Every structure is written in structure tokens, then in C-alpha cells.
Amino acid sequence: MIRSKFSVSVLIILLAFLSCKDTPSKKNENQSNTNSSINVEKDSVSDKKEEEKPFVLDEDNSIPFFFEYEKTLKENKVKITTNLGSFTIELYDNVPYHRSNFIYLTKKGYFDNTMFHRVVKDFIIQGGNSDNIETGKKRQQIGHYLLPPDTRKGHKHHRGTISMPSSEIDNPHKLASPFEFFIVVTKPGSYHLDKNYTAFGHVIEGMDVVDKINKQPVDARDWPVQNIYILKAEAF
């Protein structure tokens, strides 16, 4: 009886020991699962933030981007509607960076609500800028970059030609300011511009509207006395 009673006691102690030993093991397993879940959630939030990061153009990625973007384009015309009327521009195929840049900005809605901010009588009208905060914000969202000149394709600055001005800031190589453009109104043209600026299209309809803009009164800075807005630019 003593032997048998001892065995039962030992068995009870052993079971109690095993029962106590199992409990922390399950607790650790639950804690491990909780930590794993937290890590997955953190990784998911981190991935989501990376996915939501907006694409911004800069000096390094702009040329590769426009090289690939140009391959996808089917549009080669842009209709510009102003508060004085509308005109249509046809873009040249063999100036890919300037053409794709202009269409990209058009499709991004950049030109909408900008102005023809420089008008030089019997010479040019220049657009794509404004004095409102919205335009500055759009530029920041799109990015900061310049375009290399492409003047060897044989395009002349005839009357009705659209071209890009060069940036005025530390720019010995005449890199183009991508957000602005000018249209020649001189008859028959302004050919002294050919070697310095990239012609990338011409007006095919509405040249009378371009002339109307060129006739508006301006101040000492060539800024029109009454703002001339680009209400809408549409690529097709």
C-alpha cells in the first residue's frame, strides 16, 4: 500500500508539473503570433506609403522618362482655349523631348489657368506662367528640370512657330524652361532664333487669335494690362 500510494503521489506531482510547464509555452506562442501580426501591419503601412509617394521629375530622371513616354503618345496636336479665343498647334514628331514634355504638361492640366504673361509687339506671345500660387504649386508637384536644346532638326522660326524659351538662371547651354512656350507672330518669321531655341510645332488653326493676343496693351515689362488666361489646353 505504501508503494502504491507513493506511485499515485508521484503521478499527481508529475501531471501537475507538466500542466504548469505547458501554460507558459502557449503564452509565448500567442505573444509570438501577436508580434508577428504587428510586424506585418508595420510592413504593410510602410509599403503603402512607398506606393503613394508621388512621381516627381528632376534633372536625372526627366530625359529617360520623356524618352519612354514619347513612345506611348498618339496625340500630336494641342488646342489652347483662351479668354480671347482658341487656336490649335500641331507638334513635330522629330523633337521627341519637347513634344512629349508639352503633351505631358497638357495632360497633367498644368497650362490650365496660366497666362500669356509676355507679349512683344510684332514678335512673340509667351505663355505658361502666371502670378498665382496655384501655378507654383503645380510646378512643385511636377518637378524641377530643364530640357536640352534640339535645334538641328531643320525647323525654322516661321510665323506661327511654337518654341521654348531658355531658362534665365545660370544656363550657358540654353537649356529650355519646360513650363513656358512662345509663338512667333513676325512676318515671315524670326529666324535669328533658330540656333538658340527649339521649334517644336506650329499653329495650324486660329492664328488670328494669336495675332489678337499680340495686339493687347502691355505694361513696361511686356505683361498684358488685362490678364490673358489659358482656360484649357487639350491634347488630341
Side-chain angles (χ1 to χ4, degrees):
M1 289 292 293
I2 295 174
R3 184 177 181 180
S4 183
K5 189 175 181 180
F6 177 78
S7 298
V8 171
S9 299
V10 170
L11 181 60
I12 291 171
I13 293 170
L14 181 60
L15 289 172
F17 177 76
L18 291 173
S19 175
C20 291
K21 190 175 181 181
D22 284 346
T23 303
S25 177
K26 289 180 181 178
K27 187 175 181 181
N28 287 337
E29 184 180 346
N30 291 336
Q31 184 176 357
S32 177
N33 289 338
T34 302
N35 289 338
S36 177
S37 176
I38 292 172
N39 288 335
V40 170
E41 289 177 2
K42 285 182 178 179
D43 290 342
S44 177
V45 171
S46 178
D47 291 342
K48 189 174 181 181
K49 285 183 178 179
E50 288 182 4
E51 290 175 2
E52 292 176 351
K53 186 177 181 180
F55 173 72
V56 178
L57 288 165
D58 57 34
E59 296 292 353
D60 295 324
N61 67 19
S62 57
I63 295 302
F65 171 78
F66 286 123
F67 179 79
E68 295 299 328
Y69 183 74
E70 203 274 336
K71 296 177 183 178
T72 70
L73 294 181
K74 296 180 180 179
E75 303 90 346
N76 72 334
K77 297 181 182 69
V78 174
K79 180 180 179 180
I80 295 180
T81 301
T82 78
N83 57 318
L84 294 178
S86 63
F87 57 90
T88 300
I89 297 163
E90 184 174 49
L91 306 175
Y92 301 138
D93 292 333
N94 62 349
V95 280
Y97 300 127
H98 293 70
R99 171 178 174 253
S100 57
N101 171 78
F102 196 70
I103 292 178
Y104 179 73
L105 294 181
T106 296
K107 293 173 108 175
K108 294 284 283 187
Y110 169 74
F111 293 115
D112 300 352
N113 299 317
T114 59
M115 305 172 186
F116 280 98
H117 58 281
R118 182 170 179 245
V119 171
V120 183
K121 299 296 182 183
D122 300 319
F123 179 39
I124 62 162
I125 63 172
Q126 186 168 326
N129 203 345
S130 77
D131 55 2
N132 60 44
I133 297 175
E134 180 187 2
T135 299
K137 287 182 177 178
K138 286 183 181 180
R139 291 192 181 200
Q140 288 181 348
Q141 292 169 355
I142 292 169
H144 177 73
Y145 62 101
L146 297 173
L147 294 177
D150 193 357
T151 60
R152 299 181 181 180
K153 301 298 173 59
H155 299 301
K156 302 290 186 181
H157 283 78
H158 300 299
R159 170 175 159 81
T161 294
I162 181 171
S163 187
M164 277 188 192
S166 59
S167 173
E168 297 177 355
I169 303 174
D170 190 21
N171 187 19
H173 301 293
K174 296 284 186 180
L175 300 180
S177 175
F179 295 105
E180 299 182 23
F181 63 91
F182 65 87
I183 299 173
V184 177
V185 299
T186 315
K187 298 178 181 179
S190 292
Y191 304 115
H192 65 285
L193 303 175
D194 291 347
K195 294 182 180 180
N196 295 317
Y197 305 95
T198 302
F200 63 96
H202 64 285
V203 176
I204 58 172
E205 186 178 347
M207 193 63 195
D208 59 321
V209 174
V210 176
D211 288 334
K212 185 177 182 180
I213 293 172
N214 187 250
K215 292 176 182 177
Q216 299 305 303
V218 297
D219 62 19
R221 301 171 301 155
D222 296 322
W223 192 293
V225 174
Q226 297 293 325
N227 287 332
I228 304 170
Y229 288 97
I230 296 176
L231 305 176
K232 187 73 175 176
E234 304 165 275
F236 64 99

